[in-house]
Every structure is written in C-alpha cells, then in structure tokens.
C-alpha cells in the first residue's frame, strides 16, 4: 500500500483502487470538499505524474476518457482548487509522492490497463440527492428528476412560469459552463421536444451563473445527471449505425476498423493537447466534432 498525507488531501493506493480524500486546508476548493472522498478503480486510470517545484509539487491523475461523468461535463474547465485529481505536495514529501507514482504505474503495467477511452462510466458520479444555490436559481436532483427554483433576481421572462421540474427521462443532455472573464456561465438542460436558442438568462431550463463562490458546485448537479444519462460512447455507436441518406456503401470491415482506430488515436491526441493548454476550449470542440463526424 502507498499513502501520502498532505494539507491538501490524502491519497491512498491499495493496488486496486486509489482513495482520494480532500484536505481541510483553506486552499482546498469548495467543489472538492462537497464532492468528498473518491474511490478511483485502477481500470479508470490512464496515467499518473508528479511535478516538482521549489515551493511545492503536484500529483496529477489522468483518467481514461469517458470514465468519470464529472470530467465529461467539466470538459477541462475545472480550475486547480476544484480539480479532485490533483494534489499539492510539500517538498519534504517528494519521495513519498514519487513512490506512489511508481506503485500506480507498476500496477497499471502489471494489469495491462489500456489508456484509451471507455464505453461506460467507471465512477458513479456525485451522490444524490443534492441541491445547489448559485446564480439566478437553485438546482436540485434526487436521481429521478431535476428541480429548478428561481430567485428574486431572475429575469421575469424565465421565472414567470414558476418552478421547473424535469424528469430524467425527458433530459437529453446537460451542460455546465463556468463564468469566464465578463461572460457569465450556466447550467443548462436540453429537454426532449423543448429545444431553445435563448440565452441562459431567459431559458427556463437553465440556471445563469455569475462567477460567484458556489458556481462550481453546479458542476456536481450536471455530473450527477450525466451519470444517469446514456454514455457518450452509446451516442457515437448509434451515429455509426445510422449512415446518412445517400451515403456510399460502407468500406470493408478491416479498413473500417483501421480507420476507426486511427480516429480514436486522434481524439486522444486532441484531448492531450486540450488538457495541456495548447488548444482552447473552442478549438478543441471544433476539432473533436470534425473527428466525430468522420467516425
């Protein structure tokens, strides 16, 4: 067993699972504290790294694409204090951090865990019921339905209809977008048969976020809902099974498999570039969409 205990949190690896417990230090983000302890199975890991610094170091976990609903809805937008897969390490514990990295890497190698994407969530997502008050509303989720209640400062065009209750069976997609600069963020639900292009400020199926302290907690609501929706891989498989009208006959199976593998590798490369900051969110979304269309 390998264990590292820091003010920022505690990571324990028993050979099969990494237990991540957030610390009580003031620098630990609100989202990490509310999310609580995470159990990450070895099969969900794509890698682990440790970066040394003069004042502190940092442990980072890299999960396989599609393994965690929280990372799916966050899409690389979780800032450092709120990212549960990072741990600040004090200089006198660098040796312990390196030992933990070696143990996890050896286990990944021995178990021959692939680093590619998965077709089912390997983490359950945030526990329910949960309720978050931020921006112009309160979003609650009990595992079966989402409830949106409006505050006094909600636009009348949105609040006039009163509290919204969205059954999970009616929700097609969920998106969390944090505030960036002067641009407000949002938590938006796409509901079957009720699509709209209205800004979140006026959309009755969205909570507008203004960049305040509790805004990141809306990502927990989004992740809890996403964990109960069909996995993104299921949508990709469905799209593959529905050729466009008038499309040419499918290529030979062997060629199709080769092309599919190449596109999956390209998706992983794009993900790495996005996580490292080479690609912006918009550039990554456009590039990813182009690859998915080819798939």
């Amino acid at each position: 067993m390998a264990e590292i205990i820091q003010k920022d949190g505690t990571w324990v690896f028993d050979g099969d699972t990494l237990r991540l417990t957030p610390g009580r230090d003031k620098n630990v983000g609100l989202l990490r504290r509310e999310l609580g302890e995470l159990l990450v199975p070895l099969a969900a890991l794509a890698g682990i790294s440790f970066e040394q610094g003069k004042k502190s170091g940092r442990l980072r976990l890299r999960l396989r694409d599609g393994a965690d609903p929280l990372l799916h809805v966050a899409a690389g937008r979780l800032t450092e204090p709120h990212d549960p897969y990072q741990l600040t390490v004090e200089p006198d514990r660098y040796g312990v951090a390196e030992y933990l990295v070696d143990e996890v890497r050896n286990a990944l190698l021995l178990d021959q865990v692939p680093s590619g994407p998965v077709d089912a969530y390997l983490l359950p997502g945030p526990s329910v019921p949960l309720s978050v008050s931020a921006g112009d509303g309160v979003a609650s989720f009990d595992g079966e339905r989402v409830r949106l209640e409006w505050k006094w400062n909600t636009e009348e065009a949105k609040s006039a209809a009163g509290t919204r209750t969205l059954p999970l069976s009616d929700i097609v997609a969920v998106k969390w977008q944090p505030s960036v600069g002067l641009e407000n963020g949002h938590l938006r639900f796409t509901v079957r048969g009720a699509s709209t292009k209205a800004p979140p400020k006026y959309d009755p199926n969205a909570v507008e976020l203004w960049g305040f302290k509790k805004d990141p907690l809306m990502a927990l609501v989004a992740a809890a809902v996403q964990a109960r929706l069909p996995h993104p891989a299921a949508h990709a498989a469905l799209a593959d099974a529905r050729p466009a009208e008038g499309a040419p006959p499918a290529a030979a199976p062997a060629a199709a498999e080769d092309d599919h593998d190449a596109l999956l590798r390209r998706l992983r490369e794009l993900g790495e570039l996005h996580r490292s900051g080479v690609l912006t969110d918009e550039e990554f979304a456009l590039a990813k969409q182009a690859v998915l269309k080819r798939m």
Side-chain angles (χ1 to χ4, degrees):
M1 185 178 77
E3 178 183 60
I4 182 167
I5 302 174
Q6 295 290 275
K7 294 179 181 179
D8 195 36
T10 300
W11 287 14
V12 181
F13 180 59
D14 63 6
D16 296 313
T17 304
L18 256 170
R19 184 186 299 270
L20 314 179
T21 306
R24 298 183 177 181
D25 188 71
K26 63 180 181 179
N27 294 322
V28 177
L30 185 59
L31 185 146
R32 283 180 62 198
R33 295 202 299 269
E34 290 294 324
L35 184 60
E37 187 174 80
L38 284 177
L39 297 179
V40 184
L42 187 65
L45 294 180
I48 183 172
S49 63
F50 175 59
E51 304 162 3
Q52 293 190 16
K54 292 183 178 180
K55 295 184 178 180
S56 64
R58 188 165 299 279
L59 276 168
R60 298 179 190 270
L61 281 184
R62 184 164 57 87
L63 270 63
R64 299 170 65 185
D65 289 343
D68 181 14
L70 174 60
L71 291 186
H72 177 75
V73 298
R77 295 186 291 261
L78 280 180
T79 55
E80 184 178 296
H82 303 292
D83 188 343
Y85 300 113
Q86 297 187 35
L87 182 72
T88 301
V89 179
E90 297 169 8
D92 62 346
R93 306 301 286 172
Y94 283 0
V96 178
E98 290 170 346
Y99 174 71
L100 177 71
V101 169
D102 288 341
E103 288 294 294
V104 174
R105 287 178 176 172
N106 289 337
L108 289 171
L109 184 62
L110 289 174
D111 285 19
Q112 297 183 343
V113 177
S115 60
V118 296
D119 57 7
Y121 292 122
L122 301 181
L123 281 87
S127 59
V128 294
L130 58 85
S131 181
V132 176
S133 175
D136 66 353
V138 179
S140 306
F141 181 55
D142 62 6
E144 296 181 356
R145 60 188 61 81
V146 171
R147 181 181 174 88
L148 301 178
E149 302 172 77
W150 310 118
K151 298 182 179 179
W152 65 271
N153 48 1
T154 305
E155 284 292 326
E156 186 177 357
K158 182 163 69 173
S159 63
T163 300
R164 297 279 291 169
T165 300
L166 309 175
L168 185 63
S169 57
D170 288 347
I171 298 175
V172 177
V174 56
K175 180 181 180 182
W176 171 73
Q177 172 69 53
S179 302
V180 179
L182 298 178
E183 184 177 351
N184 290 339
H186 62 266
L187 171 69
R188 190 199 294 267
F189 299 93
T190 301
V191 179
R192 184 175 290 105
S195 59
T196 177
K197 294 183 179 180
K201 184 176 183 178
Y202 303 104
D203 184 356
N205 296 322
V207 175
E208 187 182 35
L209 305 175
W210 300 322
F212 297 151
K213 182 178 179 181
K214 291 187 177 181
D215 280 12
L217 296 183
M218 283 296 183
L220 298 181
V221 178
V225 173
Q226 182 63 50
R228 291 159 177 80
L229 295 178
H231 192 274
H235 292 295
L238 184 61
D240 284 343
R242 293 179 179 174
E245 185 177 351
E257 289 177 3
D258 291 342
D259 187 54
H260 185 72
D261 289 342
L263 292 173
L264 284 177
R265 287 195 297 272
R266 180 57 180 159
L267 280 176
R268 289 195 291 272
E269 292 170 358
L270 290 172
E272 290 292 341
L273 292 172
H274 181 235
R275 280 189 288 271
S276 63
V278 175
L279 293 179
T280 65
D281 290 346
E282 183 178 358
E283 290 169 340
F284 173 70
L286 291 174
K288 181 180 178 181
Q289 186 63 32
V291 175
L292 291 177
K293 285 182 179 180
R294 291 179 60 190
M295 293 175 68

